Structure formats: structure tokens, C-alpha cells
Amino acid sequence: MKQARENIIYKLCNKKGAFLLISAFLFSLLFLFPPGSVQSSRPYTSSTHGFSLYRTLWSNVPSKILRTGKYLVEWSNPLFCGPKIRIYRVSDRKDVIWETSRGEAFFSLGTGSAKIFESRGSYRIHDYLKRRFCHQSVDELSEEDGAVIINGSFLDSLPPLRYRVVFKGKDDGGVDFDFQAHSGSCEEGRINRAFMIYKTSADERFFGFGAQYSYLDMKGKRVPVLVQEQGIGRGLQPLTFLMNLFAGSGGDAFSTYAAVPFYLTNHLRSMFLKNPEYSVFDLTDPTRVTVSLFSRRIRGRILAGSSPLEIIEKFTRYSGRMAELPEWVGEGAIVCVQGGSTRVRETVRRLRENGVPVSAVWIHDWCGRRRTIAGSQLWWNWEPDPDLYPDFPQLVKEIRAQGIRVLTYLNPFLVDVSEKPSYRRNLFLEAKEKGYLVRKKDGEPYLIPNTDFSAGMVDLSNKKAREWVKEIIKCEFLDAGVSGWMADYAEALPFDCLLEGGNNPARFHNRYPEEWAKLNREAIREAGLEGEVIFFTRSGFTKSPGFSTLFWLGDQLVNWDEHDGIKSALTGLLSSGISGFSLNHSDIGGYTTIGLSWLPGFGYTRSKELLLRWIEMNAFTAVFRTHEGNMPELNCQWDRDAETIRQFARFAKIYETLHFYRRELLKEASSSGYPLVRPLFLHYPGDPEAWGIKEEFMLGSEFLIAPCLQPGADEVRLYLPAGRWVHLWSGKVFGNTQAGEWLRVPSPIGEPPVFYRYGSQVGEKTVEDLRVIGVLNRVSRD
């Protein structure tokens, strides 16, 4: 949480904390935490007791083939070899989309108890598996109503625990599965864990799982699917150790705001869960996938396709697809500004003077700021602050008259503003009186500690609370002429809270960000402004793309790190795009700043070089938006000096020039679910090298970008897939038509390696348009 981060950072930066800080640093060195390690923070641990890890499958049902839709389910049970299941298309029996290991159980049930620890939106889950039923018997296979039904039991339960599996082919592609204990089984009431086990191979690689920041390929990893804070450091040492020591919020390589139980593989196979409960995909075994779930039932779908893009298209039919962004979003930069009406007007004037194309100014502190032990924080009371912005509606109108939109800020928390110097409404007290806040077991509001204040969280399972929040959005945001806002947070629903109507918070936790986005979208639609107003969210789950108008990647460190810096932003962009989040972007320059530059390994402030490189990268993404960071005075900003202003203006113009092409890609995203920013393998699935590239990306199918992600570098080693590629800045032609190749390309500031396909009309039009506005000065192509 942004404000919680400020509190943590304050504690680390003040003089009273210096002794503790240095002591912790020395202590961490004793344990030899190496930079880049991600093993020091493991919030997802599991203990298993009282069961056998040996899983068996037994049956006397003879081999048979059954049909469901366009797929065949083959049950193979030869004598002495053990049974197995294979699912493949009717049209191609060699194209196996799912199979089990011979003689091994493919579903399992169990009982367990979990201890869940939460700190500032970060979670640690210790699961104690008390019993697992893993000796599976298949007693009957049949076809019924177009589905394949498997009935059986677990022999290590007395009396045997009965189960039922349903496989059903879908007309739009894929096979649904539904596995659960039989109603009325003797053990059913105690079952709260379910497992799915199936076959993979050592060379199969796994991609997706939402916004994953450290790794693109998850083979060999154990991937938890839980919406939460991404953490500060996420394995970067010794910072992660310190964050865990002081606040329990260091995170790890798999902590993410937007987790999705979906993957696709280089074998063009895919699977996703329909369950909202906490799950773990264990990919550490080279030949076996194990999916575990905090539920007695597993529901999902198996997918396959002739290409990765086809799989994404099939998945997004279920998850929902993102609508096209309004035209104005692509017309220039979205610039963050804070400090009151006067500073906003001055910033707009400077942007126009320097020729920066601007689509909107984002007034982050529109609701007012308060002094806390962390310094300055926002008042989470969603109305214009009468001191900072006494003329807010007029300010919006004035800026809009210049062709620039105004964006603001919102989150699902509320604070008591009784001590605020001036306000019109105390939304916290209103919500408390109406019973609209998440509650504790005693029925009182569940207050989430922040710095020296606490905040209540709106209960989105309460229909009346939702309507109340939507009215606030309509009155305070939309009636004021605001064209969008950051819809922050939504990751921190407590597992031990009370919700309206007895809703289970363990099931609602991952769904909360979906409902938060849905509420925002409904408010816009009900106001008749859909297609004109945007909001951008960082949290998300499976169906979030169908509700959110735009995503952003959250709070990266202002550094070059692969786990929590600029490199992680690119990895998150690629993985989330695979997972259905087709319109996503990051804060230019990152967000999280730690002002301890005097202590090696602890200080992180935004350098000028980092800002310039991040500007270059984001000009080729969906949205070009700045953020000042949590310590603006310590960070290099777009207007620091003449060079940064020139760079920012130049790449804002490049971003604006690509607007015509992004419109085509937005249509693809809306109709097919394709991401704007794509890993190379989406267009080159037959090239094994392309599946291992995570520091390059494609904008649609026509541009390939290899951003410079190393400090002090003046060239980039990159991979060009087979074909001829034109270097945007020089016009030189690179590449081999017969095979992909690695090469080193110069990358001076202002000219990151950008290529377009030889003969591309989009590429040639971009070159001509950049020439016309004076951004590109090359004469001809070599």
C-alpha cells in the first residue's frame, strides 16, 4: 500500500532508526544474503503430515474412448501397466491437450488448516495438511448429456470416499473439468483441500499467472495464486530482509497485485481454474504438474490451440476482454502533478511551452494531504480538498478548455476526517453508520492500520454499499468533469473479516479486485460516459479484464532491478498481457523511493539515466504516464533540466505518432484479447529462442523493441527473429531471412533499439510522420 510504504520508509530514514538500520544490515550480512536472491522471503510455505506422497490409480474398468464435443477422452488400462487418461481432438489424435501419468492418481482430496499472517497487504500462508486421500480408484466411465463422467473412490479412506469428475467439451474450444467429492460421502464435511495432478515434460515451459514480475517462464517454480501487495524488494537484498524485519512486507519473486490461475505453454497447451480460492501451481517436478486448492472442489478448463494467440483468444472469451481506450488517451502524455491549483496551472503552462503533447494531467492529491509520522499523506475522503483545490470544478473546466483532461485518485478505503481542517462530508462516519464497512468478528469496523491513522475498507459484497460508492463517484468525480482516476488498492481484504450476507472472505479475497473494477465501470456506464472516461487498476484476478478500462503495474522500485525495478516492469507487462490484461503500463521512472543513499544497498532514488531509459521504453506501450514517486523531491522528474525536458517531449511525440497504430491494436484487444505489448513468442512460436526472451518486446506484430535496461550501457545485445528488420533511427536493415540471430546494437540515450518489419506499411508511415514533426532526421534506408 502506497501510504504504508511511506510509513515504512520513514521509519528507516529517520535518525532514530539509523542504529536499528545498521544493526539489521550487519545482521543480514551474517547470513550472507546475496544481491538478487529471492529465497530469503518465502511467504508461501506448506507443511504436510500424516499422509503418503505415493499416489496410485487403480481400476478394473477396461480401456475405452469416449467423446465430449470436439474432443475424445481416452481411458487406457492395459494389463500390468496401470491406467491413464489422454484428451485430444477428434480431428487429430496426436494433438494431446491433457494427460495423466500411468498408474498415478490424477485427482486427490485432503483436509488441512492454515495460519494466515497479513501485514500491510502482504500475506504469509502456512498450510498444515493433516490428511490426504491419494490412492484413487476409477469405478465407472460413461457418457452423459454430452459429457464424460468418471465416478470413483479413494481407497485410503474408510469407508471409501466417493468422488465424481466431469469432462465436458466446449463449442468455443477447450474441455471443462469439475472434480468434487460426492454429496453425502462420509468424509465430505471435513474435506477442504483438492489437488489435480497431471503429466508434463522436461522441455515444456509455462507462461502467464497474471502480472509476474521476476520470471516469465515458470518451469521449475512453485507459483501461488493470491492477490496481495507485490512487496518492497521482492528478493533484492538486503532491502527485502529489512522490509520483512520492520514491516513484514518485503514480498518475494511471486507476490503480485494481479494473480491469475492461468498459463499457456510452448507445447501450445493451457489450463485455467474457475475457482476464486487460494491455489498453488507446483511446476518443480520436470514431469508432473500439481495444482493444489483451498477448496473441496476444482473447476476449470483445459485449452489448446494452433498458436499462443489462439489460446489467448480462447481464454479471454471466458475472462473478458478490455474495451478500446478513449481516443484522447493516445494523444499524448498523462502527467502526474500535485501541490494545489496554482502548481497544476503552472505545470500545464510549462508542458505547453516545451511542446509536450499532453492528453491529461493526473492530480494525485485532489482530496487533500495530511501530516503524519511519515510526512505527507492523502486524506482518504473522496471529495475535492477546499484548501488545496478551492476552485476544483473551475480548474477542471479551465484545463479541459485547453484540450487537456483531468484525472484524480480513488481507493476502497475511508478515513475519519473529524480532525481535518475543512471538509464537507465525513464519508467514513457515513459508511460506519450505514454498515458499509468490512467488519471484525465483534461486528465493529475492521480498521486497517496505516501510519498514525487507520482506515476502514468498503464491503463490496454489500449491494447497498456498492450503490453508495457509485453515487460518490458520480457526484464528486464525474459531475466535476473528471475524465478518469487511479482506482488503487483492493488487495488487502482480511481473511478473518465479516462480510455482508455471510460471504466467505477466503473465497472473496481474490474476487475483491474484480468487484472493485466492476463497481468503477458500472458508475461510468450509469453516468452515460462509457468510452469517454477511464480508470486504471493495479489489482486483478481472472475476470478483471472484462471490467477494468486500463491496468498499471503498481509500485516498482526506482532502480534497474529484475525483481522490483525497471526490468521487473517489463516482465510484468509481458506476463500480464499473456494472462488477458491486454492494456497495461508502468509508472515512468518507477514509484518506490528510499532516501538512504548514504548507506550502500539501502538507498534508492530515481536517477536521471533511469528516468530517460524508462521514458524510452514506455513510449512504445499502451499509455505514457508519469509518477513523481513517494518522495518527489529525491527523484529526477521530467522537468529536472533541459535534457530531461527534451527527452520527455521527444518521446511523448513518438508516443502520439504511434496513436494510429495503437488504435488498430486496441481493436484487436477488444475483439480477440490480444495484448498490445507482446513477448516475441506470440508471433514466433516455432522459434525456440523466442520463448526465452524477456528483455525485448513487440508492439503488435510490426515493431520490436529492446529497451536499454542496464545502467551505463551504450549498446544492447538483442535477438532478431528470422526476417529482415529496419532500424528505426538509422534506416539500416538487419536480420537473416533464414534464421534468427543475436547481435549488438548501439543504444545511446534517445535511441533505444527499435525495429520494424522490412516492408511494413505501419513502419514506413511512422518514419514519415516522425520526419514531418522533426523527431527523425534520417535521410534514407541503407
Side-chain angles (χ1 to χ4, degrees), residues 517-663:
K518 185 178 180 181
L519 182 154
N520 282 265
R521 185 71 168 271
E522 287 174 352
I524 294 170
R525 182 182 298 119
E526 291 168 11
L529 293 171
E530 189 156 34
E532 183 66 19
V533 171
I534 67 167
F535 63 93
F536 47 106
T537 56
R538 69 180 189 183
S539 61
F541 193 57
T542 306
K543 292 196 172 183
S544 293
F547 303 122
S548 188
T549 62
L550 177 65
F551 292 97
W552 103 98
L553 289 161
D555 304 339
Q556 281 74 55
L557 274 173
V558 290
N559 77 343
W560 305 85
D561 186 58
E562 64 179 318
H563 298 298
D564 197 12
I566 187 173
K567 295 185 186 73
S568 73
L570 178 52
T571 305
L573 198 57
L574 297 176
S575 60
S576 62
I578 296 166
S579 307
F581 293 54
S582 54
L583 310 180
N584 208 340
H585 71 294
S586 63
D587 298 332
I588 293 175
Y591 172 82
T592 305
T593 311
I594 302 175
L596 291 171
S597 56
W598 53 273
L599 187 59
F602 291 93
Y604 296 95
T605 58
R606 183 191 298 161
S607 69
K608 178 178 176 179
E609 183 187 8
L610 178 69
L611 177 64
L612 298 179
R613 291 304 195 186
W614 217 310
I615 286 171
E616 293 173 354
M617 180 174 76
N618 280 23
F620 298 92
T621 64
V623 173
F624 191 66
R625 181 184 58 81
T626 70
H627 201 313
E628 295 180 340
N630 61 301
M631 294 184 176
E633 68 281 1
L634 298 181
N635 287 329
C636 180
Q637 307 294 349
W638 70 269
D639 57 351
R640 171 178 174 172
D641 55 33
E643 183 183 9
T644 56
I645 292 173
R646 283 195 303 271
Q647 173 93 337
F648 185 65
R650 181 169 184 262
F651 278 88
K653 291 174 183 176
I654 292 170
Y655 172 80
E656 181 188 29
T657 298
L658 287 166
H659 182 45
F660 81 96
Y661 180 48
R662 284 196 307 274
R663 295 307 306 177

Side-chain angles (χ1 to χ4, degrees), residues 30-44:
L30 293 176
F31 285 86
L32 300 177
F33 289 110
S37 168
V38 299
Q39 300 301 317
S40 62
S41 175
R42 298 185 60 84
Y44 310 94

Side-chain angles (χ1 to χ4, degrees), residues 424-441:
R424 290 186 296 107
R425 299 172 64 182
N426 190 329
L427 297 177
F428 171 84
L429 292 183
E430 288 184 28
K432 179 181 178 182
E433 181 180 349
K434 295 174 183 294
Y436 292 164
L437 299 175
V438 170
R439 293 166 291 144
K440 298 186 296 185
K441 299 296 184 183

Side-chain angles (χ1 to χ4, degrees), residues 2 29 56 88 285 361 368 431 525 529 579 591 632 637 690 706 717:
K2 284 185 172 62
L29 292 180
T56 61
Y88 46 80
D285 189 321
V361 289
R525 182 182 298 119
L529 293 171
S579 307
Y591 172 82
Q637 307 294 349
R717 183 175 182 267

